[in-house]
Structure formats: structure tokens, C-alpha cells
Amino acid sequence: MSEEDIVSRISELVLTSNQVLQRSCISIERLLTSVTFVDNAFTPYSAKEFSLLYDRLISNLSNQEKQEHLESLTDFIVVVVKTLPSEYKGYTYPEVVARMAAITLNGNPYVLEHELGHLAMAGHQRGGLEWFQAAQSQAHAYHCGPYRTVMNENLKNGFVIGLYSNPDISIGGQPCGVQNEANNSEVLRQWAAFTQAKQKLLEKVRG
């Protein structure tokens, strides 16, 4: 792909993310602030390599860019690579690097929002990958009718639909979530409120 095609594809993923958030009644807007092409030389395959890559990318920023990134709790770095380990089209290590995700451009249209959802503590369906099961009890994906919500990786639950699990939304009479059990929409709302309050506190402390 040309650099122009890559930027266009990333812009499409950001647009899709915002459509998911709007449909899920979540007051968050994703903004693409810049795209930088770097000679990375390796794709991270472990939490340690993921952390090292983040440190490397941060060190390449100008002093002003670095300060702006570190002071903003909602500024994310998304690394776009050609391939990722095994069948994965995107992944994160929130417990190691809270504001970076890695994706490929050959995944489904929701790959970006899926990984950003993890950074806001949204989890997979019950019984999914274990390292996201430690999130609060309602941080689970769900399915409704012939569809699965954006964090649901169980192919048996049908096609991915652009929604976070939400018991207030139904398709074909079937709710797309369960209160206090599968409500990633509420998890993201709580994350947004907490992050906003923390950001204001940090700004007050900094003067």
C-alpha cells in the first residue's frame, strides 16, 4: 500500500470507531491527530517488546510532543504493522502500556475500536481470553440475533456488528447485553468520566 492509501485506511477505521461509539450511546469521539511513518525494524511479540517499542516511539517525539502526550490521558499511540503474531489482527497490553495498541490493516473494520476498547477496560465475551477477565463484572461482550458485539471474538456468535454490548439496545427483540454482566458501553462511559475527572485534577495540580 502507498502511504496515501495507508492514511486513507486509518481514517476509515477512525470513522468506523466513531460510528460504533455513537450507536452505543457513548460520548467519546476518536480523532486522528497525526500519522508518522517510521522504520521500526521489528514487530512486538511480547509484553516486554511492546513496552520497549512504546519507549522507543516516545523517545522519537520532540520535547513538546512528548510532553503533550504524557500530560494527556486520552492521547493514544496506535502502531500499524504488516503482520502480527498468529491470527491476531490487533492487540494491547493495558497492564504494561496503558495508551498504545498495535493493529494491522487487513483485519475487520472494527479492529481499531476493539483494541481502544481494551485500553478503556472493555473485555471479551465470558470465557474469552483470560487476561481481560479481571476487569469489572459487566466488562464483557455479548451477542444478539445473528450478531456479536464489537469486543466478542467468538465466531459462533455470528457476524461482528458495530456496537459495544448494551442491554438497552436490541436487535430482533434480543438485547445486546445483560445489565451488570455484559455492558461494555457502560464500562466505556465510566472510563470516560473517570479519565476526564483525573485529567482535570492533574491540570489543577500542575497549575
Side-chain angles (χ1 to χ4, degrees):
M1 297 176 67
S2 68
E3 290 188 0
E4 183 179 339
D5 289 338
I6 291 172
V7 173
S8 176
R9 175 60 175 150
I10 293 172
S11 297
E12 291 174 1
L13 292 178
V14 174
L15 176 61
T16 299
S17 283
N18 283 321
Q19 291 171 344
V20 171
L21 294 165
Q22 290 168 8
R23 294 185 193 122
S24 305
C25 303
I26 301 169
S27 298
I28 296 175
E29 182 181 7
R30 307 293 189 195
L31 299 174
L32 176 62
T33 55
S34 65
V35 177
T36 303
F37 292 86
V38 297
D39 182 12
N40 179 36
F42 83 99
T43 297
Y45 283 83
S46 67
K48 181 179 179 180
E49 290 181 345
F50 206 75
S51 179
L52 289 173
L53 176 57
Y54 177 76
D55 291 342
R56 177 186 296 181
L57 294 174
I58 291 298
S59 68
N60 288 336
L61 296 175
S62 68
N63 289 335
Q64 181 178 348
E65 290 173 329
K66 186 184 301 183
Q67 182 177 356
E68 289 175 353
H69 173 73
L70 296 175
E71 289 183 354
S72 172
L73 300 179
T74 57
D75 187 66
F76 296 94
I77 293 176
V78 179
V79 179
V80 180
V81 296
K82 288 184 179 180
T83 59
L84 285 171
S86 183
E87 75 277 12
Y88 298 124
K89 304 301 182 183
Y91 65 95
T92 58
Y93 288 99
E95 73 283 3
V96 177
V97 182
R99 288 192 283 142
M100 189 174 85
I103 65 170
T104 66
L105 295 181
N106 60 351
N108 70 55
Y110 306 110
V111 61
L112 174 63
E113 187 55 34
H114 181 104
E115 300 310 326
L116 292 178
H118 281 316
L119 296 182
M121 304 311 296
H124 294 143
Q125 69 281 4
R126 289 190 179 278
L129 296 176
E130 291 186 3
W131 60 81
F132 290 112
Q133 297 305 306
Q136 58 178 296
S137 60
Q138 64 182 340
H140 291 96
Y142 205 64
H143 58 277
C144 42
Y147 305 104
R148 52 193 166 102
T149 56
V150 73
M151 302 301 293
N152 190 328
E153 295 192 324
N154 187 347
L155 300 180
K156 295 180 180 179
N157 287 336
F159 298 101
V160 181
I161 191 171
L163 288 170
Y164 278 101
S165 55
N166 189 330
D168 296 325
I169 297 176
S170 297
I171 295 179
Q174 297 186 38
C176 295
V178 178
Q179 197 70 39
N180 300 322
E181 293 183 19
N183 193 353
N184 273 325
S185 292
E186 181 60 23
V187 171
L188 263 77
R189 292 189 201 102
Q190 292 177 4
W191 175 86
F194 172 80
T195 303
Q196 184 179 37
K198 187 175 181 181
Q199 186 76 56
K200 289 181 178 179
L201 178 61
L202 289 175
E203 291 171 359
K204 184 177 180 180
V205 171
R206 294 187 189 113

